[in-house]
Amino acid sequence: MVSEYLKQNTAEYHDAAEKLFNSEKIFNKTFTLEDYKKIINTNYLMLLHSENKIFNNLSENFSEKLQLDKRVKLPLIEKDLASLALENQTASHEFELANEHEALGAMYVIEGSTLGGNVIAKQLSKTEGFDDVTFNFFGCYQENTGPMWKSFKEVLDTKVTEENYNQVLSGAKKLYTFLLNVN
């Protein structure tokens, strides 16, 4: 199953992202609005430079099966940027995908962030100083977070053959690397 392969082979990137965003502070309630602005800004830059490229690299077959129209996140995070009075920016380097399999790997990173994002939104909504924060991006799927993740993994696991696992992994690593070096 490619989803397990990705989870195992991107664990160090995932851990580095959690460290970059001071994730432990979210749970001990020391996460600040400035920390949140950093995480939103970085995720915005990631989506700005990757979402359209991912979607454009996917065949109609994948677009339909993955329900891409329900997975668009850039407009949501732009609402968060506006509510936090953050400026739209550009990244310091480009993001490119070689093919559809790399696009699926990059999408794995973004869809995975919605799982963690849902937890972040719930936790921060109970943290002092976050009363007026809208969680458009991190709360994008609301109560459908689990089912959306499951359906994404199911499409990956049933449609990606083993000879393409490394290309999917390459796409995931590319997006994680972009995310970790965007600022």
Side-chain angles (χ1 to χ4, degrees):
M1 293 175 112
V2 73
S3 62
E4 273 307 306
Y5 179 78
L6 289 170
K7 184 177 180 179
Q8 290 169 1
N9 289 286
T10 61
E12 66 188 81
Y13 292 90
H14 180 268
D15 293 347
E18 284 195 341
K19 187 174 182 181
L20 174 70
F21 295 132
N22 297 311
S23 296
E24 77 286 346
K25 291 171 65 177
I26 293 168
F27 298 99
N28 66 24
K29 297 193 186 294
T30 59
F31 201 74
T32 65
L33 198 53
E34 288 307 308
D35 291 326
Y36 183 69
K37 286 179 180 182
K38 177 183 177 185
I39 201 172
I40 288 298
N41 191 59
T42 304
N43 276 282
Y44 163 72
L45 289 170
M46 174 188 69
L47 288 169
L48 178 69
H49 290 80
S50 68
E51 189 170 76
N52 285 338
K53 289 177 183 178
I54 291 168
F55 289 7
N56 290 336
N57 268 286
L58 295 175
S59 65
E60 200 172 302
N61 183 31
F62 273 113
S63 297
E64 197 176 297
K65 285 185 177 12
L66 292 170
Q67 300 173 294
L68 290 188
D69 56 320
K70 294 181 180 176
R71 296 183 187 274
V72 177
K73 295 174 189 66
L74 188 58
L76 299 173
I77 203 163
E78 286 174 338
K79 287 181 186 176
D80 289 333
L81 272 184
S83 73
L84 294 167
L86 292 172
E87 304 263 330
N88 290 9
Q89 301 175 359
T90 55
S92 54
H93 57 283
E94 283 299 307
F95 176 75
E96 296 298 330
L97 294 166
N99 55 45
E100 182 170 63
H101 290 102
E102 282 194 357
L104 290 168
M107 193 170 175
Y108 170 84
V109 175
I110 294 173
E111 288 303 308
S113 74
T114 64
L115 279 179
N118 195 40
V119 173
I120 289 168
K122 284 180 182 173
Q123 195 65 33
L124 291 180
S125 66
K126 299 182 239 169
T127 301
E128 190 177 320
F130 287 87
D131 303 335
D132 298 328
V133 172
T134 57
F135 297 101
N136 295 295
F137 171 60
F138 283 136
C140 67
Y141 296 145
Q142 302 289 322
E143 66 279 349
N144 294 319
T145 301
M148 289 293 281
W149 174 245
K150 270 189 185 161
S151 72
F152 174 73
K153 280 190 359 177
E154 188 177 307
V155 171
L156 278 188
D157 290 338
T158 58
K159 299 295 176 193
V160 176
T161 56
E162 198 166 339
E163 65 263 16
N164 294 311
Y165 281 17
N166 281 334
Q167 288 180 33
V168 179
L169 178 61
S170 171
K173 285 181 174 181
K174 279 183 178 182
L175 192 56
Y176 265 125
T177 300
F178 182 86
L179 180 69
L180 293 168
N181 297 294
V182 78
N183 290 331

